[in-house]
Amino acid sequence: MENNNLLQDAFGRRHDYLRISITEHCNLRCTYCMPEDGIVLTPKPHLMTADEIISISETFVNLGVTKIRLTGGEPLVRKDAKDIILRLGKLNVNLSITTNGILVPDFIEVFKEAGIKTINISIDSLVKEKFNAVTRRNYLDIVRKNIDLLLREKFNVKLNIVLIKSFNNNEIIDFINLTKNKNVQVRFIEFMPFSGNQWDKSKLVSYAEIMEIVESEFKFTDIERLQDASNDTAKNYKIRGHIGSFAIISSVTNPFCSTCNRIRLTADGKLKNCLFSNSEIPLLDTLRAGESILPLIHQNLIAKKAIRAGMDDDLKFQNPDLFSQNRSMITIGG
């Protein structure tokens, strides 16, 4: 088994992007991410230590991973987050992070030292009452202030908005208007099904519906289709004359599985080959036993399905007996 083939699946897709959840804890309680009655947190001894995160990351980098994104939960609430970020920054990778933005001021210099240039901020409404409703917390003013701080500090800032019908789909234009004078990328994400998030298709705001709203507000000639990056999950656009841009991540209505290059590592050291997969390979026990995790990595990737963990049609994708077997989003890491 050649090492340079370990990150290739049965469909010839090479995986060079590792997303690592470093905690299941969060200082928000977003409705689409965490079940209303919360989750049973993994006992600390079963979670990856900082040393184990670095060790597994080094293995993946040696196999060809060039990009690592830290997620959670909320990654910045972990007590040793600064140490983890700085150590990962010494690897030869493009390091980035997804955060809710609340603790950003405490990490500005850490981000810079680690070489992080792009930061994704999750923010699902610009209206305080709705922000409070979806997060079950009152932090909108702080998050918006910290977005401006990141922009002043010259970070590339992406805003992640999960759209839910009859909740925030009437804010699509408001978010795009942010790009007029702010150099941000606004990213609209289709609402996806996970355990405990009360998903049904009637709540979905599709790619086509988003574009219909955009085209009703802006002249067709002013909506520029941008070149997507290789393996990009987003379809990228810009309004002519605006400083920033916007994008749509259409995992439900227009999946991008054929070019997927992502692997996910959960906070408890399990490898997921697809966001929607309920199949996981535990790496941690093998690592702690001093044995090689390479066969497990290969086993996980070679089992990857062609489309959304085998949910390759709309009927399967809407079947709660399938998606409810997956974890809640907060324990996957996005």
Side-chain angles (χ1 to χ4, degrees):
M1 186 165 52
E2 296 292 332
N3 283 2
N4 59 6
N5 291 328
L6 287 180
L7 297 187
Q8 182 169 302
D9 67 16
F11 303 93
R13 295 172 295 196
R14 291 197 58 80
H15 296 70
D16 58 6
Y17 180 5
L18 178 65
R19 299 176 66 104
I20 306 174
S21 171
I22 64 172
T23 183
E24 297 174 351
H25 289 272
C26 188
N27 44 7
L28 296 180
R29 294 292 182 271
C30 295
T31 56
Y32 57 82
C33 180
M34 179 181 286
E36 187 173 0
D37 55 357
I39 62 167
V40 178
L41 293 169
T42 303
K44 188 174 181 180
H46 299 293
L47 298 174
M48 295 184 293
T49 65
D51 287 343
E52 288 164 344
I53 290 170
I54 303 306
S55 175
I56 294 174
S57 298
E58 287 174 340
T59 296
F60 275 100
V61 170
N62 290 335
L63 293 175
V65 160
T66 59
K67 180 176 181 179
I68 292 177
R69 174 175 295 278
L70 297 181
T71 66
E74 167 50 46
L76 301 185
V77 302
R78 180 163 166 152
K79 291 181 180 179
D80 55 357
K82 292 182 179 180
D83 176 57
I84 292 169
I85 293 169
L86 290 173
R87 292 172 69 182
L88 288 174
K90 294 177 181 178
L91 303 180
N92 185 27
V93 293
N94 173 3
L95 183 64
S96 58
I97 191 166
T98 296
T99 170
N100 59 35
I102 295 168
L103 299 176
V104 154
D106 297 333
F107 285 82
I108 293 291
E109 296 308 315
V110 174
F111 294 157
K112 290 179 179 178
E113 186 176 343
I116 292 177
K117 295 180 173 60
T118 299
I119 298 175
N120 288 31
I121 303 288
S122 300
I123 176 171
D124 298 306
S125 179
L126 299 172
V127 179
K128 183 170 289 190
E129 292 76 17
K130 289 200 287 185
F131 181 93
N132 294 355
V134 75
T135 65
R136 304 185 181 107
R137 297 292 186 271
N138 181 19
Y139 284 118
L140 179 60
D141 291 340
I142 291 173
V143 173
R144 295 197 67 168
K145 179 180 177 182
N146 290 341
I147 289 169
D148 289 337
L149 171 62
L150 289 168
L151 291 172
R152 288 196 304 272
E153 296 290 341
K154 306 302 181 185
F155 288 96
N156 300 321
V157 178
K158 298 181 179 181
L159 306 183
N160 290 346
I161 303 104
V162 175
L163 289 177
I164 302 174
K165 192 163 289 184
S166 301
F167 175 70
N168 59 355
N169 54 311
N170 64 344
E171 295 188 65
I172 289 172
I173 301 303
D174 293 334
F175 273 108
I176 291 177
N177 284 338
L178 286 180
T179 70
K180 184 173 184 178
N181 299 310
K182 294 181 186 291
N183 189 20
V184 295
Q185 184 193 68
V186 168
R187 291 152 44 99
F188 299 115
I189 302 171
E190 290 182 342
F191 185 33
M192 294 176 281
F194 295 97
S195 176
N197 74 351
Q198 308 302 312
W199 184 89
D200 68 68
K201 197 172 183 181
S202 68
K203 298 177 182 179
L204 175 70
V205 185
S206 70
Y207 172 40
E209 290 172 305
I210 297 168
M211 288 308 300
E212 184 178 342
I213 292 170
V214 174
E215 289 166 2
S216 70
E217 178 71 17
F218 300 99
K219 294 179 181 178
F220 181 76
T221 53
D222 286 341
I223 304 170
E224 301 180 31
R225 180 70 165 94
L226 303 179
Q227 179 67 48
D228 301 331
S230 177
N231 303 111
D232 206 338
T233 60
K235 296 170 179 63
N236 295 273
Y237 294 86
K238 183 181 180 73
I239 302 301
R240 194 178 303 276
H242 284 206
I243 297 173
S245 62
F246 73 96
I248 302 170
I249 300 175
S250 52
S251 305
V252 178
T253 64
N254 193 8
F256 33 80
C257 303
S258 63
T259 59
C260 183
N261 66 334
R262 291 155 181 76
I263 325 162
R264 288 172 169 81
L265 181 64
T266 63
D268 55 349
K270 294 184 173 66
L271 204 59
K272 290 178 72 75
N273 59 29
C274 176
L275 182 61
F276 298 108
S277 176
N278 55 36
S279 176
E280 304 173 346
I281 295 290
L283 301 184
L284 206 49
D285 289 344
T286 300
L287 181 73
R288 289 176 175 176
E291 300 172 10
S292 173
I293 61 174
L294 296 181
L296 297 178
I297 293 171
H298 181 69
Q299 176 186 341
N300 183 258
L301 278 181
I302 210 68
K304 185 168 182 170
K305 304 292 186 182
I307 298 175
R308 290 185 310 209
M311 294 187 287
D312 51 8
D313 61 41
D314 196 51
L315 192 62
K316 291 178 184 176
F317 197 70
Q318 292 189 63
N319 184 352
D321 291 336
L322 295 178
F323 67 72
S324 63
Q325 295 175 34
N326 198 2
R327 297 185 184 215
S328 59
M329 176 64 93
I330 194 166
T331 64
I332 297 175

